[in-house]
Amino acid sequence: MVMACVDLQKSMKPADSSSVPVPPPLPSKSNLHQKRYGNEIAHSCGVPTATKDMWDRLFNDGYKANVVIYTDNGGIVYAHANIIGTASCVIKGMLKKAKKHGKWYTISIRGVPYEAVRVFIRFLYSSCYKNEEMNEYIMHLLLLSHAYVVPQLKRVCEWHLEHGLLNTENVIDVFQLALLCDFPRLSVISHRMIMKHFKELYATEAWTAMKKSHPFLEKELRDSVFIEENTRKERIRKRNEQRIYSQLYEAMEALVHICRDGCKTIGPHDQDLKPSHATCHYEACKGLESLIRHFAGCKLRVPGGCVPCKRMWQLLELHSRVCADSDQCRVPLCRSFKEKMEKQSKKDEVRWKLLVKNVLGSKKIGGSPFFLPVNSSF
């Protein structure tokens, strides 16, 4: 026997590698898919059409069925204990406790329409369903999937609600059901829709019913809407403040540029620019032009005088507080304002320090070499 095996092994070894035939090409992905699943896939079903038709006949004809399921309004659904008991551990427990009349087990599924129970039991056979049935009984199927622990149906219902079936007409009911039946993702999605359409939903009958049945939940929703609105307003306020601080920083840069280099838009204070002078790239110069021209020619030109002059005084004082070297600075009154700081009250000083910190902090990357660093103590 051993010698025969050795001879067989020797006979299987090729005498020459050139005699080995070329292997056939690997099948494409599409061919693999066809061999595995067949040419046609049933609509809303993950099994081949032939298998789906077989399960349909088994369910519809009730061939050798041994379970009678009673529903509301006298409806009856016939099923097979081995199939539905395997698909749902809850139903399996119900069948163990059910009274048997001859070959028939009798159980009841109530609280939902007969048609919804029929779609639910049909799904237990091969996870197949019709889209029109899903659209009509989505809420009942969602409840049944949780009550009878059918995770696959639970995921299907959640997917359909997330991708089109969730709307303003059912979102309140879905939100309550998602919380009661442990659908965390669905509860978040429905909560977002309620926040978005709060004014519209607040006047509906569904909201009134929720207020009566779950008053604490209704109150939490109202509170979350108010918190969301306040958060949104606060976010807008901070964004506007940040924009103002950024504009003030740009104005400080433009002011140094005008007084140190000269600006073609406004002109320097001590020289005439030639036509070939480079074009100004500081957008804030355009805004400062009218303010500086007014300040230069205004007869009042005192702090507390006209509004443009008062604004110019404030810009000059702000510059002196952010300036890194007043001795070399060419901005007017820079050193004078530095000396004035020592005589200001603590309240004004705190206010100015906070403003300087926010203005310098608006420049997240880099910064002007003529200004104090952001992390400096003011």
Side-chain angles (χ1 to χ4, degrees), residues 57-69 76-84 100-105 121 125:
R57 290 195 303 271
L58 182 63
F59 173 72
N60 294 326
D61 298 344
Y63 177 69
K64 289 192 175 182
N66 58 350
V67 180
V68 178
I69 303 173
I76 296 177
V77 179
Y78 296 97
H80 300 78
N82 291 340
I83 296 175
I84 63 175
K100 192 173 183 181
H101 303 279
K103 71 168 187 176
W104 296 99
Y105 293 93
I121 298 299
Y125 276 70

Side-chain angles (χ1 to χ4, degrees), residues 20 22 40 71 85 88 93 158 178 196 208 216 269 276 294 344 368:
V20 178
V22 179
E40 295 182 1
T71 67
S88 169
E158 195 170 23
K196 185 177 180 180
T208 304
F216 294 103
H269 70 286
S276 60
H294 171 85
Q344 284 187 331
S368 174

Side-chain angles (χ1 to χ4, degrees), residues 242-256 282 284 288 315 318-319 322 355-374:
Q242 186 67 20
R243 184 172 62 252
I244 292 174
Y245 295 141
S246 179
Q247 290 173 351
L248 285 173
Y249 191 97
E250 293 173 0
M252 296 298 100
E253 286 185 320
L255 192 60
V256 172
Y282 290 86
L288 284 173
L315 288 176
L318 177 60
H319 162 77
V322 300
L355 176 61
V356 170
K357 180 181 178 181
N358 291 330
V359 170
L360 294 177
S362 65
K363 195 72 172 180
K364 300 299 182 182
I365 301 176
S368 174
F370 305 103
F371 299 157
L372 295 171
V374 178

